[in-house]
Amino acid sequence: AQRVTQPEKLLSVFKGAPVELKCNYSYSGSPELFWYVQYSRQRLQLLLRHISRESIKGFTADLNKGETSFHLKKPFAQEEDSAMYYCALALVTGGGNKLTFGTGTQLKVEL
Amino acid sequence: GAGVSQSPSNKVTEKGKDVELRCDPISGHTALYWYRQSLGQGLEFLIYFQGNSAPDKSGLPSDRFSAERTGGSVSTLTIQRTQQEDSAVYLCASSLLFSGTGYTFGSGTRLTVV
């Protein structure tokens, strides 16, 4: 069965410091991975997906199939990056993408 | 609509009562999902709809939970004889069939069972 692991419940960094939110997955097929973000009092929203290989709000994530990881990185943290971050793995089933989420990492950027 | 709409936004109910949670997905999105978000538990998959049918209901915690979708649009999640452990935020999301862009989530219904 597919599984997503986010080992850190809370990550606290100073403004301007690099950020790395860890995500590991287990899946026997070809993975499709996403990062979702939930800012305080806002709805959960898509941050980025691995197939687009894009950078959103300065964040990037590279799929490493050898290490089965999809860590989220940003070189210089900003205060507005404080939020809850969820890594998710898509399983194509019955014509739709069923997402399996990790338990999330709360990122706190301190001044 | 422009986004996924959920109602009510908050619901406080007494233990043992039934509750109905509503989700109105983005127009044209054929796939609809229900998740439960509990503190420290992340997002727990409940059920998935493709059109009006539910190919995957493996995440429903017990037979007190049921869901339906009508007209390929609005979905209702029903919890019968609510228990305190049912307290959580219930999230609905929708997506295009075979969408690689991920889901669009609603703002959720916060259910508190007292």
Side-chain angles (χ1 to χ4, degrees):
Chain A
Q2 68 278 9
R3 179 178 294 177
V4 177
T5 303
Q6 293 180 252
E8 302 144 326
K9 287 188 177 180
L10 174 65
L11 181 64
S12 185
V13 301
F14 287 106
K15 179 182 175 181
V19 174
E20 183 179 56
L21 299 170
K22 291 184 168 51
C23 172
N24 289 91
Y25 67 91
S26 61
Y27 182 46
S28 57
S30 183
E32 186 174 359
L33 288 146
F34 303 81
W35 276 99
Y36 281 80
V37 60
Q38 189 169 28
Y39 300 102
S40 180
R41 298 187 182 84
Q42 294 186 28
R43 63 184 65 191
L44 196 61
Q45 59 187 280
L46 179 66
L47 179 63
L48 56 78
R49 52 197 167 112
H50 91 272
I51 58 173
S52 59
R53 305 179 71 83
E54 58 201 342
S55 174
I56 303 293
K57 299 184 179 182
F59 284 98
T60 58
D62 292 321
L63 177 62
N64 186 323
K65 291 187 178 181
E67 296 182 357
T68 60
S69 68
F70 188 57
H71 303 328
L72 184 68
K73 299 177 183 179
K74 185 170 182 177
F76 308 104
Q78 301 299 313
E79 190 179 1
E80 57 266 28
D81 296 330
S82 294
M84 191 73 171
Y85 291 80
Y86 291 95
C87 182
L89 170 69
L91 170 65
V92 177
T93 175
N97 284 327
K98 170 184 170 180
L99 288 178
T100 297
F101 287 86
T103 51
T105 298
Q106 180 74 45
L107 174 64
K108 183 178 179 182
V109 180
E110 299 182 79
L111 300 176
Chain B
V4 178
S5 178
Q6 290 188 249
S7 61
S9 55
N10 279 286
K11 176 72 177 178
V12 180
T13 189
E14 292 181 352
K15 178 181 173 181
K17 295 283 181 68
D18 298 351
V19 295
E20 283 190 354
L21 312 180
R22 177 188 167 104
C23 173
D24 199 343
I26 291 175
S27 178
H29 278 193
T30 54
L32 185 148
Y33 310 81
W34 283 98
Y35 281 80
R36 181 165 69 176
Q37 186 178 31
S38 306
L39 193 63
Q41 298 296 319
L43 278 85
E44 175 188 10
F45 169 80
L46 297 178
I47 187 170
Y48 148 64
F49 286 93
Q50 176 189 340
N52 291 336
S53 64
D56 190 344
K57 54 180 75 172
S58 61
L60 295 177
S62 73
D63 58 8
R64 295 187 296 105
F65 287 72
S66 63
E68 65 174 13
R69 189 179 185 194
T70 55
S73 181
V74 172
S75 176
T76 303
L77 177 69
T78 301
I79 309 173
Q80 296 178 309
R81 305 181 303 281
T82 52
Q83 303 294 313
Q84 288 186 330
E85 60 262 28
D86 300 335
S87 296
V89 176
Y90 289 82
L91 293 173
C92 176
S94 68
S95 71
L96 291 169
L97 195 62
F98 289 112
S99 171
T101 59
Y103 299 173
T104 300
F105 278 90
S107 55
T109 294
R110 181 175 297 279
L111 175 66
T112 304
V113 182
V114 297

